[in-house]
Amino acid sequence: MTASDPEAAAAPPSPKAEQVLQAASRVFREQGYGSASMDAIARAAGVSKATLYAHFAGKDQLFAAIVSGECRRHSQALTAPDIDRLEVRQALAAIGRNFLDLVLSAKARAIYRIVIAEAPRFPELGRAFYASGPAAVLARLADYLGAADARGTLRVEDPKLAAEQFVAMLMGPLHMRHLLGLTAEFGDRDPAQVVEAAVATFLSAYAPSDPA
């Protein structure tokens, strides 16, 4: 598994690997990426360094696996087997709700803060985060939009661009206010309202033309 391989990072971990990931997540949040050592992670997980390295070759792979695990837990709508059978408005609403559940969660916000603070010094951290988090989510959403275009339920010439636009509408200022802890001071929109508006705006741009 490499940090640039989101599919590998997304593979369900073994029980021992999950034990390591839970400990690594705590160590990263408490110490930051730069200060966290593989020794400290092994101690926190209660495993030997040999066991740790048998599962993860370095901190970047550990971080990538943590990020992809959060995406996997929160983004069920993007991989649900029946998503293509839902009416497109319902499907986009489900995707939007799961996406906001992910990015607004306390753990996701903590991960995001670590990346923003330390990626300039540790470029591999930024690469691991983007490949296993945002890039993987966007790729799955683009796949859905491309399939919807093929079925004729949407008209999407560039699924990747459309996926980026939909995600941008969902995040907007809401994500920034949560990151900065300013929701009380500047107001906090109901995520359901944000999703509804994003879906309506998206469909106004990408709904198929009326045959009439």
Side-chain angles (χ1 to χ4, degrees):
M1 181 179 72
T2 65
S4 59
D5 185 354
E7 291 303 319
S14 67
K16 183 64 71 173
E18 182 62 32
Q19 178 181 332
V20 170
L21 290 172
Q22 292 295 328
S25 180
R26 293 193 302 272
V27 173
F28 283 137
R29 292 198 303 271
E30 292 168 2
Q31 300 182 15
Y33 182 82
S35 298
S37 68
M38 294 294 271
D39 283 335
I41 291 169
R43 286 195 301 272
V47 300
S48 67
K49 285 185 65 177
T51 297
L52 176 59
Y53 280 106
H55 291 284
F56 304 100
K59 289 197 298 182
D60 59 336
Q61 288 192 4
L62 262 171
F63 203 87
I66 291 168
V67 172
S68 65
E70 286 304 297
C71 290
R72 188 169 60 249
R73 279 186 281 272
H74 285 271
S75 298
Q76 303 96 330
L78 286 168
T79 54
D82 62 345
I83 189 69
D84 290 334
R85 295 195 291 270
L86 292 176
E87 190 272 329
V88 67
R89 183 181 293 271
Q90 294 175 324
L92 289 172
I95 290 168
R97 288 192 299 271
N98 278 284
F99 179 79
L100 282 186
D101 283 346
L102 168 62
V103 299
L104 298 182
S105 68
K107 183 177 285 189
R109 284 182 283 129
I111 289 171
Y112 192 87
R113 292 184 184 112
I114 292 171
V115 173
I116 295 302
E118 306 217 42
R121 290 189 298 148
F122 302 98
E124 76 277 7
L125 175 61
R127 288 192 294 269
F129 172 77
Y130 191 79
S132 55
V137 170
L138 287 169
R140 290 196 293 270
L141 178 54
D143 286 344
Y144 167 78
L145 297 176
D149 177 79
R151 292 192 304 272
T153 54
L154 288 174
R155 186 66 176 269
V156 184
E157 294 183 4
D158 187 338
K160 182 177 179 181
L161 175 61
E164 292 172 347
Q165 291 171 333
F166 186 60
V167 165
M169 286 192 291
L170 290 169
M171 293 182 73
L174 181 66
H175 184 234
M176 181 63 69
R177 288 195 295 268
H178 275 76
L179 280 175
L180 299 177
L182 299 177
T183 55
E185 182 176 351
F186 289 94
D188 185 13
R189 287 192 180 277
D190 181 356
Q193 182 185 18
V194 173
V195 171
E196 182 180 355
V199 170
T201 302
F202 189 85
L203 289 178
S204 72
Y206 289 109
S209 301
D210 188 337

